[in-house]
Amino acid sequence: MSVHVLSDARTLRAAGRQPRLPFCVALADGRQLSMRRLLRVLPGKRLVGEAELDGRRVLAKLFVGRRCEKHWRYERGGLEALRDAGVPTPEVLAAMAMAGGGYALLTVFLETAESLAEAWARVSRRAAGDGEALAVLAPALGMLGRLHAAGLVQDDLHLGNFLRHDGRVLVVDGDAVRVICRGQALAPADAGANLAVLLAQLPPAWDRQLSALLPAYTAEQACLPEQAVLQRNIERVRAWRLGDLLAKTVRECTLFAVEQTGVRFCAVRREEAEVLAPLLAAPDRAISSGEVFKDGGTTTVARIVVIGRALLIKRYNLKNLRHALGRLWRPSRAWHSWREAHRLLFFDIPTPRPLALIEERCGPLRRRAWLICEYCPGPNLLSHLSADSAPPADEGKAICELFAALCRHRISHGDLKATNLLWDGERVLLIDLDGVVQHRSAIAHARAWRRDRARLLRNWPSGCALQRWLDEQLPAA
């Protein structure tokens, strides 16, 4: 494969998310580094990928931003601190300036390495406390304990920064490693605050499994904060992460691609952007060619197929001039549903995965909007369950888990018809999220839950077996 161009920091900054591959950069010692495959790009700041130097495969981090020297020094210093503390991390092969500006840091390329995030993705749906899931989490907690015992913290803690290779777990991303008290264990408060960052990324159900999670950490780090303090830290971090995620859903970032003009706003999950591009360009054409389930004054809903994959597209209509004027200044119902779907998934509450949001605009004014999400072919609970008996065991358990989670996080639905609850064979999925609210106070949530609960019970004849079962099993009003 021929290399197209000899790049420098300015060229790579200007290339955005998709620099043309392969490319070369000249190092300060006269050698040329050939970048073959990109693994991560922070536009205008950093590129990480598989490269070749002197015929050897390496992992290359290229720092090309305007303050790149600072981050390059942090990366190099963090990896040195890990090495000095005896914490396994990939060997540094070279750390130097690039001839055309910017800096490079090269480490060994671990061919068969797998991040713990990849391993976790395979088991994350398992019940909290599951043995295989614990086997994935324990090495990360143990390695974090080693960092804390050596006086180090990791400011960008996530499972993707732990790699499994040849039976070992290694820590990567030296840029986020800080030395708090070299050679001495962290104070319990500092250790607990950093530990909470990792634990807050697990589904909330794992909060009740701290006694199973913490032994791996305490095996390496003796000092542990009180569990009540740790739980408060987890909740604080989780609240921050939720706010950060919801903000990202409507701005350009690693997770989402956003396009905004004077007449249109579009947000799409970045990994879906290329596949969904034709649909996003002409959503009404997709609806007209799909299977229309509903075509009412306020909404049109259709099932469509994109490259063999079933999706659901929902258009929020403007039924008359008064309705249109009332919606102009407010975020659309599609916008609200988009954000609330991400909120529910953040809390591991089942709902079809949202893929894209489109709004028609006239400057700051909103008009029609579209929401695209994954399609669930399962039946709704009104048609699936018999009013004459309690639900089967699996469905009954899933119903109880769904409403327990909603109440735990003070979330109300606002229109809890049984047709808005779908059975996918394993879980009950919540749909039609226009009225979903997460309440700040227990009093406000209790008031909303009474309405939700009463609406759900009204789906079936008064006094029937299913209604009696629900009334007994649902959280109290």
Side-chain angles (χ1 to χ4, degrees):
M1 182 184 296
S2 60
V3 172
H4 295 298
V5 64
L6 181 63
S7 293
D8 57 20
R10 185 176 65 178
T11 303
L12 294 173
R13 274 199 306 272
R17 292 186 180 276
Q18 295 181 322
R20 189 180 180 189
L21 288 169
F23 64 80
C24 270
V25 293
L27 302 179
D29 63 2
R31 293 182 293 173
Q32 286 194 354
L33 176 76
S34 301
M35 185 68 80
R36 301 296 184 182
R37 178 167 62 104
L38 290 172
L39 303 174
R40 189 182 182 205
V41 177
L42 293 180
K45 297 179 180 179
R46 186 183 313 169
L47 301 91
V48 183
E50 178 187 346
E52 185 176 304
L53 182 68
D54 297 335
R56 180 179 182 179
R57 295 171 73 195
V58 298
L59 182 77
K61 285 192 176 184
L62 305 183
F63 299 81
V64 300
R66 301 195 183 280
R67 303 174 66 187
C68 57
E69 183 178 3
K70 180 186 77 170
H71 292 287
W72 172 73
R73 291 188 184 280
Y74 284 168
E75 180 77 28
R76 187 179 63 177
L79 294 179
E80 288 175 352
L82 291 173
R83 184 196 63 203
D84 292 345
V87 176
T89 191
E91 178 189 356
V92 176
L93 302 176
M96 67 182 69
M98 299 190 299
Y103 292 83
L105 190 142
L106 314 178
T107 62
V108 296
F109 187 84
L110 304 176
E111 173 67 38
T112 58
E114 178 188 50
S115 75
L116 292 187
E118 294 170 315
W120 173 250
R122 296 194 295 269
V123 297
S124 59
R125 290 276 299 274
R126 293 175 180 265
D130 174 82
E132 289 190 36
L134 279 170
V136 172
L137 298 172
L141 290 163
M143 198 57 64
L144 185 60
R146 289 183 66 174
L147 263 69
H148 291 172
L152 309 178
V153 297
Q154 230 281 7
D155 284 336
D156 187 25
L157 261 181
H158 55 82
L159 292 173
N161 278 338
F162 299 90
L163 299 183
R164 287 198 300 206
H165 182 257
D166 284 348
R168 292 195 308 160
V169 173
L170 301 91
V171 179
V172 297
D173 194 7
D175 189 9
V177 173
R178 285 191 300 121
V179 180
I180 303 299
C181 43
R182 190 183 298 273
Q184 299 180 20
L186 293 182
D190 292 332
N194 198 222
L195 173 61
V197 173
L198 182 60
L199 295 176
Q201 296 173 49
L202 303 180
W206 281 88
D207 291 359
R208 300 188 294 276
Q209 298 294 329
L210 291 180
S211 59
L213 289 167
L214 294 179
Y217 174 81
T218 55
E220 301 288 348
Q221 161 69 10
C223 293
L224 187 69
E226 294 181 14
Q227 196 153 313
V229 175
L230 181 60
Q231 186 63 55
R232 287 197 296 271
N233 281 335
I234 292 171
E235 292 169 0
R236 174 182 54 79
V237 173
R238 189 172 284 138
W240 177 89
R241 291 186 69 245
L242 174 61
D244 184 59
L245 171 66
L246 295 181
K248 285 178 177 178
T249 63
V250 289
R251 67 173 172 83
E252 183 77 9
C253 61
T254 302
L255 294 176
F256 299 94
V258 171
E259 173 194 357
Q260 185 168 3
T261 67
V263 296
R264 170 184 163 98
F265 175 92
C266 178
V268 57
R269 286 182 177 270
R270 187 169 295 281
E271 73 271 16
E272 305 281 358
E274 184 176 352
V275 171
L276 296 183
L279 165 61
L280 300 180
D284 284 341
R285 186 187 307 160
I287 289 175
S288 63
S289 64
E291 179 186 358
V292 177
F293 296 148
K294 178 182 178 182
D295 192 7
T298 57
T299 56
T300 300
V301 182
R303 175 185 176 274
I304 60 175
V305 178
V306 177
I307 314 181
R309 177 186 179 195
L311 303 178
L312 192 80
I313 181 167
K314 187 173 185 178
R315 184 179 66 213
Y316 294 82
N317 304 319
L318 301 173
K319 59 183 180 180
N320 53 42
L321 179 61
R322 182 179 179 182
H323 186 215
L325 292 175
R327 301 298 317 181
L328 280 178
W329 295 100
R330 291 183 287 168
S332 66
R333 289 181 294 155
W335 178 288
H336 185 80
S337 297
W338 168 255
R339 283 171 54 89
E340 296 312 308
H342 284 98
R343 185 191 305 274
L344 294 182
L345 292 177
F346 178 87
F347 288 123
D348 203 34
I349 296 173
T351 192
R353 186 167 174 260
L355 304 179
L357 159 72
I358 307 169
E359 284 187 338
E360 279 183 341
R361 292 189 177 181
C362 181
L365 307 180
R366 268 89 163 184
R367 301 185 66 242
R368 295 186 305 166
W370 296 258
L371 181 70
I372 297 100
C373 63
E374 292 182 336
Y375 173 72
C376 174
N380 64 64
L381 293 194
L382 188 62
S383 62
H384 182 63
L385 299 179
S386 169
D388 299 327
S389 62
D394 288 348
E395 285 90 325
K397 179 182 178 184
I399 290 169
C400 293
E401 288 177 347
L402 171 65
F403 289 109
L406 288 169
C407 288
R408 185 163 58 248
H409 298 292
R410 295 178 179 170
I411 295 173
S412 64
H413 184 269
D415 187 20
L416 208 53
K417 296 180 291 190
T419 51
N420 286 332
L421 298 164
L422 305 181
W423 175 246
D424 76 346
E426 295 181 352
R427 303 175 301 165
V428 175
L429 277 65
L430 196 63
I431 63 169
D432 200 4
L433 309 181
D434 305 11
V436 167
V437 175
Q438 184 174 27
H439 301 272
R440 295 192 176 192
S441 75
I443 294 174
H445 172 257
R447 188 163 50 242
W449 169 237
R450 281 195 295 273
R451 292 193 295 268
D452 272 355
R453 194 180 194 276
R455 180 64 187 91
L456 180 63
L457 293 176
R458 287 201 304 272
N459 283 282
W460 293 279
S462 178
C464 72
L466 178 58
Q467 190 191 70
R468 290 198 307 271
W469 182 90
L470 287 167
D471 197 25
E472 292 171 359
Q473 297 299 321
L474 292 177

mmCIF file of all heavy atoms in Angstrom, residues 104 144 199 360 372 397:
data_model
loop_
_atom_site.group_PDB
_atom_site.id
_atom_site.type_symbol
_atom_site.label_atom_id
_atom_site.label_comp_id
_atom_site.label_asym_id
_atom_site.label_seq_id
_atom_site.Cartn_x
_atom_site.Cartn_y
_atom_site.Cartn_z
ATOM 1 N N ALA A 104 4.938 12.953 19.031
ATOM 2 C CA ALA A 104 4.530 11.555 18.872
ATOM 3 C C ALA A 104 4.965 10.752 20.078
ATOM 4 O O ALA A 104 6.056 10.977 20.627
ATOM 5 C CB ALA A 104 5.144 10.964 17.603
ATOM 6 N N LEU A 144 -6.986 -0.746 39.729
ATOM 7 C CA LEU A 144 -7.197 0.576 40.316
ATOM 8 C C LEU A 144 -6.695 0.601 41.753
ATOM 9 O O LEU A 144 -6.114 1.602 42.206
ATOM 10 C CB LEU A 144 -8.680 0.940 40.256
ATOM 11 C CG LEU A 144 -9.036 2.343 40.731
ATOM 12 C CD1 LEU A 144 -8.324 3.403 39.908
ATOM 13 C CD2 LEU A 144 -10.551 2.559 40.682
ATOM 14 N N LEU A 199 -17.087 2.998 39.442
ATOM 15 C CA LEU A 199 -18.299 2.281 39.837
ATOM 16 C C LEU A 199 -19.567 2.956 39.309
ATOM 17 O O LEU A 199 -20.562 2.284 39.030
ATOM 18 C CB LEU A 199 -18.358 2.168 41.361
ATOM 19 C CG LEU A 199 -17.261 1.321 42.016
ATOM 20 C CD1 LEU A 199 -17.375 1.380 43.532
ATOM 21 C CD2 LEU A 199 -17.338 -0.129 41.532
ATOM 22 N N GLU A 360 -37.160 20.286 11.638
ATOM 23 C CA GLU A 360 -37.256 21.391 10.682
ATOM 24 C C GLU A 360 -37.226 22.694 11.477
ATOM 25 O O GLU A 360 -37.893 22.804 12.508
ATOM 26 C CB GLU A 360 -38.585 21.326 9.922
ATOM 27 C CG GLU A 360 -38.619 20.369 8.776
ATOM 28 C CD GLU A 360 -39.946 20.422 8.050
ATOM 29 O OE1 GLU A 360 -40.942 20.907 8.628
ATOM 30 O OE2 GLU A 360 -39.979 19.952 6.907
ATOM 31 N N ILE A 372 -35.867 8.589 14.828
ATOM 32 C CA ILE A 372 -35.591 7.251 14.292
ATOM 33 C C ILE A 372 -35.000 6.407 15.404
ATOM 34 O O ILE A 372 -34.064 6.843 16.101
ATOM 35 C CB ILE A 372 -34.618 7.310 13.097
ATOM 36 C CG1 ILE A 372 -35.247 8.104 11.938
ATOM 37 C CG2 ILE A 372 -34.273 5.912 12.606
ATOM 38 C CD1 ILE A 372 -34.787 9.518 11.834
ATOM 39 N N LYS A 397 -41.801 -10.836 36.261
ATOM 40 C CA LYS A 397 -40.538 -10.340 36.809
ATOM 41 C C LYS A 397 -40.090 -9.089 36.076
ATOM 42 O O LYS A 397 -39.639 -8.104 36.691
ATOM 43 C CB LYS A 397 -39.466 -11.432 36.711
ATOM 44 C CG LYS A 397 -38.108 -11.016 37.234
ATOM 45 C CD LYS A 397 -37.085 -12.138 37.055
ATOM 46 C CE LYS A 397 -35.702 -11.683 37.539
ATOM 47 N NZ LYS A 397 -34.674 -12.711 37.288
#
